[in-house]
Short mmCIF file of all heavy atoms in Angstrom, two decimals:
data_model
loop_
_atom_site.label_atom_id
_atom_site.label_comp_id
_atom_site.label_asym_id
_atom_site.label_seq_id
_atom_site.Cartn_x
_atom_site.Cartn_y
_atom_site.Cartn_z
N LYS A 15 -3.33 -86.46 37.39
CA LYS A 15 -4.29 -87.38 38.04
C LYS A 15 -5.72 -87.09 37.61
O LYS A 15 -6.56 -87.98 37.57
CB LYS A 15 -4.18 -87.23 39.55
CG LYS A 15 -3.04 -88.07 40.12
CD LYS A 15 -3.41 -88.61 41.50
CE LYS A 15 -2.25 -89.41 42.05
NZ LYS A 15 -1.27 -88.51 42.73
N GLN A 16 -5.99 -85.83 37.29
CA GLN A 16 -7.37 -85.47 36.95
C GLN A 16 -7.71 -85.67 35.48
O GLN A 16 -8.86 -85.50 35.09
CB GLN A 16 -7.63 -84.02 37.36
CG GLN A 16 -7.82 -83.89 38.87
CD GLN A 16 -7.87 -82.44 39.32
OE1 GLN A 16 -7.57 -81.53 38.55
NE2 GLN A 16 -8.24 -82.23 40.57
N ALA A 17 -6.73 -86.01 34.69
CA ALA A 17 -6.97 -86.19 33.25
C ALA A 17 -8.05 -87.24 33.03
O ALA A 17 -7.98 -88.32 33.62
CB ALA A 17 -5.69 -86.59 32.56
N ARG A 18 -9.06 -86.87 32.20
CA ARG A 18 -10.17 -87.82 32.02
C ARG A 18 -9.96 -88.74 30.82
O ARG A 18 -10.58 -89.78 30.70
CB ARG A 18 -11.49 -87.06 31.86
CG ARG A 18 -12.06 -86.63 33.21
CD ARG A 18 -13.19 -85.68 33.02
NE ARG A 18 -12.77 -84.52 32.23
CZ ARG A 18 -13.57 -83.51 31.92
NH1 ARG A 18 -14.83 -83.53 32.26
NH2 ARG A 18 -13.11 -82.49 31.23
N ASN A 19 -9.09 -88.33 29.93
CA ASN A 19 -8.81 -89.18 28.79
C ASN A 19 -7.42 -88.91 28.24
O ASN A 19 -6.71 -88.01 28.72
CB ASN A 19 -9.88 -89.00 27.72
CG ASN A 19 -10.07 -87.53 27.38
OD1 ASN A 19 -9.07 -86.79 27.21
ND2 ASN A 19 -11.31 -87.08 27.32
N LEU A 20 -7.04 -89.67 27.24
CA LEU A 20 -5.66 -89.57 26.72
C LEU A 20 -5.37 -88.20 26.12
O LEU A 20 -4.26 -87.69 26.21
CB LEU A 20 -5.43 -90.65 25.67
CG LEU A 20 -5.32 -92.07 26.24
CD1 LEU A 20 -5.31 -93.10 25.13
CD2 LEU A 20 -4.07 -92.20 27.10
N LYS A 21 -6.41 -87.61 25.53
CA LYS A 21 -6.19 -86.31 24.91
C LYS A 21 -5.86 -85.25 25.96
O LYS A 21 -4.91 -84.46 25.81
CB LYS A 21 -7.45 -85.91 24.13
CG LYS A 21 -7.20 -84.75 23.22
CD LYS A 21 -8.09 -84.69 22.01
CE LYS A 21 -7.70 -83.46 21.23
NZ LYS A 21 -8.82 -82.52 21.11
N GLU A 22 -6.63 -85.27 27.02
CA GLU A 22 -6.37 -84.32 28.11
C GLU A 22 -4.96 -84.53 28.67
O GLU A 22 -4.22 -83.59 28.97
CB GLU A 22 -7.41 -84.49 29.23
CG GLU A 22 -8.68 -83.70 28.96
CD GLU A 22 -9.69 -83.82 30.11
OE1 GLU A 22 -9.28 -84.12 31.26
OE2 GLU A 22 -10.88 -83.63 29.83
N LEU A 23 -4.59 -85.80 28.78
CA LEU A 23 -3.25 -86.13 29.32
C LEU A 23 -2.15 -85.58 28.41
O LEU A 23 -1.15 -85.02 28.88
CB LEU A 23 -3.13 -87.65 29.46
CG LEU A 23 -1.92 -88.14 30.24
CD1 LEU A 23 -2.02 -87.71 31.71
CD2 LEU A 23 -1.78 -89.65 30.15
N ASP A 24 -2.36 -85.73 27.11
CA ASP A 24 -1.39 -85.20 26.14
C ASP A 24 -1.22 -83.69 26.29
O ASP A 24 -0.10 -83.16 26.26
CB ASP A 24 -1.87 -85.48 24.71
CG ASP A 24 -1.28 -86.79 24.22
OD1 ASP A 24 -0.38 -87.30 24.93
OD2 ASP A 24 -1.73 -87.29 23.17
N ASN A 25 -2.37 -83.00 26.48
CA ASN A 25 -2.31 -81.55 26.64
C ASN A 25 -1.54 -81.15 27.89
O ASN A 25 -0.77 -80.17 27.87
CB ASN A 25 -3.71 -80.96 26.68
CG ASN A 25 -4.35 -81.01 25.29
OD1 ASN A 25 -3.62 -81.07 24.28
ND2 ASN A 25 -5.67 -81.00 25.24
N ILE A 26 -1.74 -81.94 28.94
CA ILE A 26 -1.02 -81.63 30.18
C ILE A 26 0.49 -81.84 29.98
O ILE A 26 1.32 -81.04 30.40
CB ILE A 26 -1.55 -82.50 31.33
CG1 ILE A 26 -3.01 -82.13 31.62
CG2 ILE A 26 -0.71 -82.33 32.59
CD1 ILE A 26 -3.78 -83.15 32.41
N TYR A 27 0.78 -82.93 29.26
CA TYR A 27 2.19 -83.20 28.97
C TYR A 27 2.83 -82.02 28.24
O TYR A 27 3.89 -81.53 28.60
CB TYR A 27 2.31 -84.48 28.12
CG TYR A 27 3.73 -84.85 27.77
CD1 TYR A 27 4.50 -85.62 28.64
CD2 TYR A 27 4.32 -84.41 26.58
CE1 TYR A 27 5.82 -85.95 28.34
CE2 TYR A 27 5.63 -84.73 26.27
CZ TYR A 27 6.38 -85.51 27.15
OH TYR A 27 7.67 -85.82 26.85
N LYS A 28 2.09 -81.56 27.21
CA LYS A 28 2.61 -80.44 26.41
C LYS A 28 2.78 -79.19 27.27
O LYS A 28 3.75 -78.46 27.15
CB LYS A 28 1.64 -80.13 25.27
CG LYS A 28 1.94 -81.00 24.06
CD LYS A 28 1.06 -80.58 22.88
CE LYS A 28 0.93 -81.72 21.89
NZ LYS A 28 -0.43 -81.76 21.33
N LYS A 29 1.80 -78.99 28.16
CA LYS A 29 1.81 -77.78 29.00
C LYS A 29 3.09 -77.70 29.83
O LYS A 29 3.65 -76.63 30.04
CB LYS A 29 0.58 -77.82 29.91
CG LYS A 29 0.36 -76.55 30.69
CD LYS A 29 -0.98 -76.63 31.41
CE LYS A 29 -1.00 -75.69 32.60
NZ LYS A 29 -2.04 -76.03 33.54
N TYR A 30 3.57 -78.85 30.27
CA TYR A 30 4.76 -78.83 31.13
C TYR A 30 6.04 -79.23 30.41
O TYR A 30 7.09 -78.64 30.61
CB TYR A 30 4.54 -79.75 32.34
CG TYR A 30 3.48 -79.23 33.25
CD1 TYR A 30 2.16 -79.69 33.17
CD2 TYR A 30 3.77 -78.22 34.18
CE1 TYR A 30 1.18 -79.19 33.99
CE2 TYR A 30 2.78 -77.71 35.01
CZ TYR A 30 1.49 -78.20 34.90
OH TYR A 30 0.53 -77.68 35.71
N LEU A 31 5.91 -80.23 29.54
CA LEU A 31 7.13 -80.80 28.98
C LEU A 31 7.28 -80.63 27.46
O LEU A 31 8.24 -81.10 26.87
CB LEU A 31 7.23 -82.30 29.32
CG LEU A 31 7.23 -82.61 30.82
CD1 LEU A 31 7.05 -84.10 31.07
CD2 LEU A 31 8.51 -82.13 31.48
N GLY A 32 6.26 -79.97 26.85
CA GLY A 32 6.33 -79.73 25.40
C GLY A 32 7.41 -78.68 25.10
O GLY A 32 8.08 -78.17 26.01
N LYS A 33 7.53 -78.33 23.81
CA LYS A 33 8.57 -77.37 23.40
C LYS A 33 8.49 -76.06 24.17
O LYS A 33 9.47 -75.45 24.56
CB LYS A 33 8.42 -77.08 21.91
CG LYS A 33 9.37 -77.91 21.08
CD LYS A 33 9.34 -77.43 19.63
CE LYS A 33 9.91 -78.51 18.72
NZ LYS A 33 9.41 -78.37 17.35
N LYS A 34 7.21 -75.63 24.36
CA LYS A 34 7.06 -74.36 25.08
C LYS A 34 6.59 -74.60 26.51
O LYS A 34 6.10 -73.70 27.17
CB LYS A 34 6.04 -73.48 24.34
CG LYS A 34 6.63 -72.92 23.06
CD LYS A 34 5.69 -71.93 22.41
CE LYS A 34 6.25 -71.52 21.06
NZ LYS A 34 5.18 -71.24 20.10
N GLY A 35 6.71 -75.84 26.98
CA GLY A 35 6.21 -76.20 28.31
C GLY A 35 6.96 -75.49 29.42
O GLY A 35 8.08 -75.03 29.24
N GLU A 36 6.31 -75.44 30.56
CA GLU A 36 6.87 -74.65 31.66
C GLU A 36 8.19 -75.22 32.16
O GLU A 36 9.12 -74.47 32.47
CB GLU A 36 5.85 -74.59 32.81
CG GLU A 36 4.62 -73.77 32.42
CD GLU A 36 3.61 -73.63 33.55
OE1 GLU A 36 4.03 -73.27 34.67
OE2 GLU A 36 2.41 -73.89 33.30
N ILE A 37 8.30 -76.53 32.22
CA ILE A 37 9.55 -77.13 32.70
C ILE A 37 10.65 -76.93 31.66
O ILE A 37 11.79 -76.57 31.99
CB ILE A 37 9.36 -78.65 32.96
CG1 ILE A 37 8.24 -78.90 33.97
CG2 ILE A 37 10.66 -79.29 33.41
CD1 ILE A 37 8.63 -78.68 35.41
N THR A 38 10.26 -77.15 30.39
CA THR A 38 11.23 -76.98 29.31
C THR A 38 11.82 -75.57 29.34
O THR A 38 13.04 -75.37 29.21
CB THR A 38 10.55 -77.22 27.95
OG1 THR A 38 9.69 -78.36 28.08
CG2 THR A 38 11.54 -77.48 26.85
N GLN A 39 10.92 -74.60 29.56
CA GLN A 39 11.40 -73.21 29.59
C GLN A 39 12.33 -72.96 30.77
O GLN A 39 13.36 -72.28 30.64
CB GLN A 39 10.21 -72.27 29.65
CG GLN A 39 9.85 -71.82 28.24
CD GLN A 39 8.51 -71.09 28.16
OE1 GLN A 39 7.93 -70.77 29.19
NE2 GLN A 39 8.08 -70.85 26.96
N THR A 40 12.02 -73.57 31.89
CA THR A 40 12.88 -73.41 33.06
C THR A 40 14.27 -73.94 32.74
O THR A 40 15.30 -73.31 33.03
CB THR A 40 12.31 -74.19 34.25
OG1 THR A 40 10.95 -73.82 34.42
CG2 THR A 40 13.07 -73.91 35.53
N LEU A 41 14.25 -75.14 32.09
CA LEU A 41 15.54 -75.75 31.74
C LEU A 41 16.33 -74.84 30.80
O LEU A 41 17.54 -74.68 30.92
CB LEU A 41 15.32 -77.12 31.10
CG LEU A 41 15.02 -78.27 32.07
CD1 LEU A 41 14.47 -79.47 31.33
CD2 LEU A 41 16.27 -78.66 32.85
N ARG A 42 15.57 -74.25 29.85
CA ARG A 42 16.23 -73.39 28.87
C ARG A 42 16.84 -72.15 29.53
O ARG A 42 17.93 -71.71 29.18
CB ARG A 42 15.23 -72.97 27.82
CG ARG A 42 15.65 -73.53 26.46
CD ARG A 42 14.72 -73.03 25.38
NE ARG A 42 14.18 -74.15 24.65
CZ ARG A 42 12.93 -74.26 24.25
NH1 ARG A 42 12.06 -73.32 24.54
NH2 ARG A 42 12.57 -75.31 23.57
N SER A 43 16.12 -71.64 30.52
CA SER A 43 16.60 -70.38 31.13
C SER A 43 17.82 -70.58 32.04
O SER A 43 18.41 -69.64 32.52
CB SER A 43 15.45 -69.72 31.90
OG SER A 43 15.11 -70.56 32.97
N LEU A 44 18.17 -71.85 32.24
CA LEU A 44 19.29 -72.14 33.15
C LEU A 44 20.60 -71.50 32.68
O LEU A 44 21.44 -71.08 33.46
CB LEU A 44 19.49 -73.65 33.28
CG LEU A 44 18.46 -74.44 34.09
CD1 LEU A 44 18.74 -75.93 34.01
CD2 LEU A 44 18.48 -73.98 35.54
N LYS A 45 20.72 -71.46 31.32
CA LYS A 45 22.00 -71.02 30.79
C LYS A 45 22.39 -69.58 31.22
O LYS A 45 23.54 -69.22 31.23
CB LYS A 45 22.03 -71.14 29.26
CG LYS A 45 21.00 -70.31 28.51
CD LYS A 45 21.23 -70.48 27.01
CE LYS A 45 20.43 -69.56 26.14
NZ LYS A 45 19.03 -69.85 25.95
N ASN A 46 21.41 -68.81 31.61
CA ASN A 46 21.71 -67.44 32.04
C ASN A 46 22.19 -67.36 33.49
O ASN A 46 22.53 -66.30 33.98
CB ASN A 46 20.47 -66.56 31.90
CG ASN A 46 19.94 -66.61 30.47
OD1 ASN A 46 20.74 -66.72 29.53
ND2 ASN A 46 18.62 -66.57 30.32
N LEU A 47 22.13 -68.48 34.17
CA LEU A 47 22.47 -68.43 35.60
C LEU A 47 23.97 -68.63 35.82
O LEU A 47 24.65 -69.25 35.00
CB LEU A 47 21.71 -69.52 36.34
CG LEU A 47 20.19 -69.37 36.46
CD1 LEU A 47 19.60 -70.60 37.10
CD2 LEU A 47 19.82 -68.10 37.24
N PRO A 48 24.45 -68.15 36.98
CA PRO A 48 25.86 -68.43 37.30
C PRO A 48 26.06 -69.94 37.47
O PRO A 48 25.09 -70.65 37.81
CB PRO A 48 26.08 -67.72 38.63
CG PRO A 48 24.77 -67.09 39.00
CD PRO A 48 23.78 -67.34 37.95
N GLU A 49 27.23 -70.41 37.25
CA GLU A 49 27.48 -71.84 37.16
C GLU A 49 26.98 -72.64 38.37
O GLU A 49 26.31 -73.66 38.24
CB GLU A 49 28.98 -72.12 36.96
CG GLU A 49 29.18 -73.58 36.63
CD GLU A 49 30.63 -73.91 36.37
OE1 GLU A 49 31.42 -73.02 36.05
OE2 GLU A 49 30.93 -75.11 36.47
N LYS A 50 27.28 -72.15 39.54
CA LYS A 50 26.93 -72.89 40.75
C LYS A 50 25.41 -73.06 40.87
O LYS A 50 24.89 -74.17 41.06
CB LYS A 50 27.45 -72.12 41.97
CG LYS A 50 27.75 -73.04 43.13
CD LYS A 50 28.44 -72.26 44.23
CE LYS A 50 28.19 -72.95 45.55
NZ LYS A 50 28.24 -71.98 46.64
#
Side-chain angles (χ1 to χ4, degrees):
K15 276 215 181 85
Q16 284 171 350
R18 279 169 303 181
N19 51 46
L20 288 171
K21 193 153 179 241
E22 275 183 23
L23 191 65
D24 267 349
N25 288 337
I26 295 162
Y27 180 87
K28 274 186 202 142
K29 187 172 158 199
Y30 293 97
L31 301 169
K33 262 189 199 156
K34 287 186 186 148
E36 292 183 49
I37 303 281
T38 317
Q39 265 169 9
T40 308
L41 280 165
R42 244 184 234 138
S43 65
L44 287 175
K45 62 176 189 284
N46 304 326
L47 292 174
E49 190 178 338
K50 208 172 155 207

